[in-house]
Amino acid sequence: MTDLSSNTSSFSSICIEHCKGRCCDPWWGIIAYQVRKEGGLTRLNNFKEEILRGIRDRERRIVERYVTSETPPRPLFKSPEKYSMIAENIKISGTTIFINLRAMFAFRCLFLSEDKVCTIHPSVIGGSDIRPEHCGYLGSLDAKPNEKGYCRIIHTAAGTITPPSPPYKGGAKGGDETSKINAAIDMERSISEKYYNEGYTSAEGAAEALVENIKGYVERNAPGLISDVPKETTKSPGRNDPCYCGSGKKIKKCHG
Ligand code: SF4
Ligand code: SF4
């Protein structure tokens, strides 16, 4: 395995000793947005298509945005391994349904090695950082939200311990600090595993499940707003069907 411990400037020993690259394995791309459905929950197939286009659009945006800072740039991701769509809040106003969505995409970074090392991290490639902005791998206690090196785990743990003076070099050697950091890592791991295991391997599966969830909510809370177009309303009667005149004979033997 690559010896990351030789780097002394930019990584946190929490990452190496405790977490082992949780932020990149998988790498979660998360986008929150709102969808608005006018006129009640009709034409579900069209609605599913709309949701699917929204998922594809956001997936594409992430893939396009996360590239190395080289010329030419290299992408970090192909398609997500898992799609997890969550309706965080649904509101109904008249016949309009507002849905706040959280789209979660579990990507496998093309630069993450089998042994959970970022193969383009500066400590690995010798100091030149070509990772995209805000790559979280190997976080720092000093980094603030939206800065490179920011990590929820480290900051969650830091909020529950007395943090050492920055720059953070000591690692998590103390018994109490260690258990709090491990608790934060375990929480992150279990949340990540839950969404990964419950996620769908295709965007179509995620869109379908999401629409079923929304339909269930509307059925429970505003059943009058569901009226899908009935199937086969224009089917013509066959020659052997009962005659429309009410004679009781088959059409072919009556008005056929
Ligand atoms: S940055 Fe955070 S999530 Fe990533 S390896 Fe370090 S502690 Fe784990
Ligand atoms: S480039 Fe490195 S830090 Fe960024 S997601 Fe991939 S493995 Fe993680």
Side-chain angles (χ1 to χ4, degrees), residues 85-234:
M85 295 296 298
I86 297 164
E88 295 198 300
N89 192 12
I90 304 177
K91 278 191 196 141
I92 297 174
S93 171
T95 61
T96 304
I97 304 165
F98 298 89
I99 307 135
N100 287 346
L101 291 177
R102 185 154 43 108
M104 299 174 61
F105 306 96
F107 287 99
R108 182 71 39 189
C109 178
L110 298 169
F111 296 107
L112 185 68
S113 71
E114 285 285 310
D115 51 2
K116 315 293 181 212
V117 171
C118 172
T119 54
I120 57 170
H121 185 272
S123 66
V124 176
I125 59 168
S128 160
D129 196 345
I130 57 170
R131 300 173 307 153
E133 210 181 331
H134 306 159
C135 255
Y137 188 61
L138 303 178
S140 152
L141 197 64
D142 307 332
K144 298 182 180 52
N146 296 326
E147 280 183 1
K148 190 174 273 190
Y150 174 76
C151 167
R152 283 194 312 280
I153 293 176
I154 292 176
H155 283 251
T156 303
T160 61
I161 61 179
T162 308
S165 314
Y168 188 77
K169 286 184 181 148
K173 301 276 194 293
D176 197 38
E177 292 181 3
T178 302
S179 63
K180 283 172 179 168
I181 288 168
N182 282 336
I185 291 169
D186 281 349
M187 187 190 295
E188 183 77 12
R189 181 178 288 123
S190 69
I191 292 170
S192 176
E193 281 173 3
K194 169 182 154 54
Y195 285 119
Y196 189 88
N197 293 336
E198 290 176 357
Y200 291 82
T201 51
S202 71
E204 289 82 0
E208 192 143 319
L210 176 68
V211 170
E212 285 306 309
N213 278 348
I214 296 168
K215 190 176 159 203
Y217 177 90
V218 176
E219 267 168 359
R220 288 190 298 280
N221 294 283
L225 289 188
I226 298 190
S227 57
D228 220 344
V229 177
K231 293 185 183 106
E232 302 195 306
T233 47
T234 57

